[in-house]
Amino acid sequence: DILKGVLRTIFLFLFLGFLIMLAVFNPHHACIDRGKGNTVHQSDVFTACVASSNTYDYDSDVTSQNLNIPAHFYFPKTSKKVPIIIISHGAGGIFQFHHDYKDIFLSNDIAVVIIDHFSPRNIAIDFDFVSVSEAMMLSDITATLEHLTKYYGHRLDGQVGYIGWSKGGISALSLRNKKIYDKYIPSNIKLSFLAGVYTFCDISFEDYQPSDIPLLLISGELDEITPAKYCMNLFNEFGESENISYHQLANSYHGFDNHAFLLGAYLPWQPTLNESDICSIVIDKSLKTISKTNIYSLNDFQSRKEFIEACTVKGAFVKYNPDSRIKSHKLVIDFVKTKFGQN
């Protein structure tokens, strides 16, 4: 136990050093000073610069335009048309484990696009959960969908899925609401599925109308950041009526598929939400994000900052679990193949 504690401490300092290095060297991305549609590499693997924007909340007006988002495309080596999966990363940005899933999809003749939501907004890691909102990430999804149908439709069979990890999974879950789905998903596209891996499920809606898109949820039993019980509650209430598949992986913490957490680590900056009605999150009828008792709003930078300060505590444990990684890979690809196979 002492040795494990020492190793975890060493890992934490190394990890913090890496994060500080990223923060010092301001995120540089492939789409700086490039125009809309500009492709950095042209082959089966390339980066496209898609024109997105910032909307802080689902009901907000655009606050920033001309935002070039790097969308990293990966096509399998085949001449036939293929389905495609859009991937949204979590608060730590794009990791190697996202590419592990990407490689599995490619081996099954499924194209992938991994979106960099952070670098164009001048952050490398989301330390405070304030600067980049779920609505911003969905704006990037809209831009990517419009871009891929315009430029790569000849390589695609029309089937599109969306998977988000942790913070990115909240965006996927938001699309359960038909109002949000209709706002962010172009009318010429129907998503084949949504998926969230160790994501936050305790967000409710006023005037809820389901979008009826099949949903996969995978949680870690010991997750302190996005507790599994919330996804279990969601599944128990809506699972049968909304075609939701839910899996809870035993003895697993947040980040169970992330090799970076091989030895386990305590993240002192990580906010976790307090359990109370005051701090429960609701999307109201106008698509404004508020707390259940309407004391707080998350509708702009300042109000979201006040909510995070009042309704979260700092610090949580994360850890890689090789068995859970294998199980998650299988659950995801089995689900994906089934849902794409239905169309």
Side-chain angles (χ1 to χ4, degrees), residues 63-277:
T63 58
S64 177
Q65 295 177 314
N66 301 320
L67 200 62
N68 287 325
I69 303 296
H72 306 296
F73 281 84
Y74 305 86
F75 281 88
K77 295 186 180 301
T78 177
S79 59
K80 68 180 182 181
K81 292 187 175 183
V82 296
I84 191 166
I85 293 173
I86 298 175
I87 286 178
S88 282
H89 58 73
I94 300 171
F95 278 93
Q96 176 57 44
F97 78 88
H98 294 109
H99 291 277
D100 293 343
Y101 286 91
K102 175 258 293 179
D103 291 341
I104 293 172
F105 298 143
L106 289 176
S107 69
N108 284 272
D109 285 342
I110 299 169
V112 178
V113 53
I114 303 177
I115 300 175
D116 179 357
H117 297 284
F118 285 177
S119 295
R121 296 179 172 94
N122 297 315
I123 71 168
I125 306 291
D126 190 358
F127 289 105
D128 57 15
F129 286 69
V130 175
S131 300
V132 179
S133 69
E134 294 74 32
M136 292 180 192
M137 298 177 82
L138 281 177
S139 294
D140 299 345
I141 298 301
T142 303
T144 301
L145 287 170
E146 292 173 344
H147 185 91
L148 67 86
T149 55
K150 181 177 180 179
Y151 292 101
Y152 315 121
H154 63 288
R155 304 187 68 173
L156 303 173
D157 68 4
Q159 299 180 96
V160 183
Y162 177 36
I163 303 178
W165 275 259
S166 193
K167 180 183 178 74
I170 300 175
S171 301
L173 279 171
S174 298
L175 294 172
R176 292 178 53 239
N177 186 327
K178 189 175 186 300
K179 288 184 177 180
I180 295 177
Y181 183 94
D182 289 345
K183 179 173 182 177
Y184 288 97
I185 305 302
S187 59
N188 63 330
I189 293 175
K190 180 175 175 58
L191 294 182
S192 297
F193 65 83
L194 302 165
V197 183
Y198 45 81
T199 191
F200 187 66
C201 292
D202 192 30
I203 299 176
S204 58
F205 302 94
E206 292 181 355
D207 189 28
Y208 176 62
Q209 301 172 34
S211 60
D212 294 325
I213 308 300
L215 171 67
L216 170 68
L217 295 171
I218 302 175
S219 299
E221 177 190 22
L222 305 178
D223 197 324
E224 302 170 338
I225 299 171
T226 55
K229 64 181 179 181
Y230 296 132
C231 293
M232 176 63 80
N233 292 341
L234 177 66
F235 174 72
N236 288 337
E237 183 172 359
F238 298 102
E240 186 173 345
S241 62
E242 293 190 23
N243 193 8
I244 299 174
S245 301
Y246 176 61
H247 303 273
Q248 186 177 127
L249 303 184
N251 301 314
S252 297
Y253 289 90
H254 200 83
F256 54 72
D257 53 2
N258 191 344
H259 315 82
F261 303 135
L262 178 63
L263 301 177
Y266 181 77
L267 307 182
W269 62 83
Q270 174 66 50
T272 59
L273 196 64
N274 297 331
E275 292 188 47
S276 70
D277 283 347

Side-chain angles (χ1 to χ4, degrees), residues 276-280 282 288-299 303-311:
S276 70
D277 283 347
I278 293 175
C279 297
S280 293
V282 177
K288 180 179 179 180
T289 306
I290 59 174
S291 63
K292 186 175 290 187
T293 55
N294 209 12
I295 292 178
Y296 295 103
S297 166
L298 288 76
N299 199 235
S303 61
R304 189 180 180 107
K305 182 178 179 182
E306 292 172 358
F307 173 84
I308 293 295
E309 289 175 350
C311 284

